[in-house]
Amino acid sequence: MTRSSGEKPLLAVMVMLGCALGTEPVFAETTSTPSAMASVIPVRDFARSDEYEDAILSPTGEYLAVKLRIDNGIALGIVRTDDRTLAKAIRLVDRQGIADIHWVGADRLVYALTEKLSDDEKPDLTGELIGVEVGGRGSKYLFGYRGDVSTGSHINKANAEYAHATVIDSLRNDPRNVLIAAFPWTERGELGSATLYKMNVSTGGKLRVGFAPKPGWTDFLADANGFIRYAVGHYSSLMSIDTYARTETEQDWKQINVGDRKGTNLQAISFSIERDTAYLLSDEQSDAPCLVAHRLEDNRRETLACYPQAAVQDYSLSHDGGTPIGVEFEPGKPELVVLDEHADGKLMRQLVKSFAGYSVRITSWSDDGSKAVVHVYDDHNPGEFFLFDRRTLKADHLFSARGWLDPRLMAERRPLSFKAKDGMEIHGYLTLPNARPESPLPLVVLPHGGPFGVRDHWRFDPEAQMLASRGYAVLQVNFRGSSGYGSRYIQAGRDQWGSGMIDDIAAGTQHLIEQGMVDAKRICIYGASYGGYAAMMSAVRYPDLYRCAVGYAGTYDLARQKRDSDTARTKLGRAYLEFALGSEPSMLATQSPITHLDKLKAAIMIVHGEQDTRVPFSQAEALRDALKVRQYPFEWLTYPTEGHGFYKIEHREAFYTQLLAFIEKHIGATAR
């Protein structure tokens, strides 16, 4: 098996695509050497998002649908695989974008529409589906609340569907139709019970083929005949999952057990070509989610791949879409388990050998398995995409996710573990600058958001790399409550927003001090969302540990968050807030940073989007006003058109520039 660079042909195509869409070319080569670039990596290079997000093979392998970012939006290029020429270019009107691409037949695809629905810069899924024919003119509006919008000039509201649609299956044996689930909107913002349709991708015509078992968000799996056989949903509570199955002869849904444990994490990922097995990521019989085969014939669960104290993080499927051939666990660095149940597993082993040292995932196949798109990455490399030809055993390079960054200049990310205050083992990552002095390093602690169901990974992290490029060590702690280490690890974080989680972050910081790696007098903490909360709570809980703290889209008053966040608008959202925050007013006050500002010693920076509904802008305003009352100095940065995190590159660049200056002022080489 060989690897070769096909970057130049695709480079020409992307230049054509940029010109076709009326923009400057978005992919540029560099002749700079690592030594010449080492000290001058611009802030903008870290602020930019991935330029290429995905490449999806058509069923015949004739085309690649390439999602790429132009300016602040997502465009779609359809490229011929034989000569890398551009077959079609699609870029929508301002404020709209493209997501969730599905090929249907040899030359048609369906994508989900995104749009900036408010003053927030970040687009959201609208629930609409659009059809595209490679050789056709324009796009076809297939499903959505706008009704029939033919080429944008005619609107027929009689056909409007006030629902959110998702594609269940592309029906590889039916090139004219696709299976979708349509979740109706309700006045209270809840999702109703989904209706299942077979939808024509040329006309948008629909044939109803069933209903969801119950109201609420549901994942569905169809068998090889296109019959929807399996359903998984959170129906009764946030912490329990219901699983249903049905047969073509008995089409009513039948609830089936999910093991002995009441509260399980379960994701249905594929249905076997033999039509009798659902593959699940499930912790029903273990602490962390494993790969499980659910044999429907006798309702038997069979564990195929499991890792002590580490959950499945990613997976690759066989070319027929039915069988997992590789599952990845991440106890520290990713570890791939290759499965030989399907013949494609042997190919997966060859790819892993060829891309030694990288995490490897097959993201799409041609229907006959002759071609595949392979995605590889490591801690230095943001990601590379290759087109693999099974007949020649050759992998041609397609593009880099962030081609403007040289992986040789990026910093090492080391997994680490340490003991928490109560003796619990905690995991995380340490990013170290390439040029390290003999003396201990200044440290930036970077807690992740969430906090539940989220974790930091070994893979390339642009913020950690940016900080490391400026000479800082970066600590990212997967404190209790983080995902990826099993249900006990998550449950240990319950009611611990402002106590156990914050103590874990401090324990990791103290661990590095004790190891002699970092300077105890030069430590800052910065985070976004829950990380912003954690930064401020750490500053009041450990006032002598941190010289500065930056809260980005952070929560500072938990009672206000429970009342005002958009999470509180739905039943499941309120259940999450109850689980995460609790309900006792005194506890909410105790775990709110705004209650303890009299303990502050750190320099403070507050950053927020004024359109944020997840963590409302009022959180930043409340902290600002409370600091003003105390005449406590702080830095302030907001944007009136941004939401929960800054979407525009220009805004992120300006923020990062101010952030670096703030950190340099307080813990940099000239700080006192």
Side-chain angles (χ1 to χ4, degrees), residues 54 249 347 363 406 538:
D54 208 350
T249 56
L347 173 62
T363 61
D406 188 337
S538 295

Side-chain angles (χ1 to χ4, degrees), residues 1-32:
M1 182 178 296
T2 60
R3 295 156 54 182
S4 64
S5 175
E7 190 162 339
K8 287 200 179 282
L10 192 61
L11 167 62
V13 172
M14 292 303 118
V15 170
M16 289 170 54
L17 178 54
C19 296
L21 298 175
T23 67
E24 292 298 314
V26 297
F27 191 97
E29 293 179 290
T30 177
T31 57
S32 301

Side-chain angles (χ1 to χ4, degrees), residues 65-82:
V66 181
K67 281 174 62 179
L68 69 154
R69 188 174 295 275
I70 296 179
D71 299 326
N72 286 300
I74 300 296
L76 177 64
I78 300 176
V79 178
R80 299 178 182 89
T81 56
D82 56 356

Side-chain angles (χ1 to χ4, degrees), residues 574-610:
R574 291 188 292 274
Y576 169 78
L577 291 172
E578 193 71 16
F579 167 82
L581 302 179
S583 57
E584 177 60 40
S586 62
M587 184 176 71
L588 294 176
T590 299
Q591 299 206 70
S592 294
I594 204 166
T595 305
H596 308 285
L597 296 182
D598 58 313
K599 297 182 175 66
L600 264 183
K601 294 182 180 180
I604 298 298
M605 181 177 178
I606 306 169
V607 185
H608 220 104
E610 296 179 24

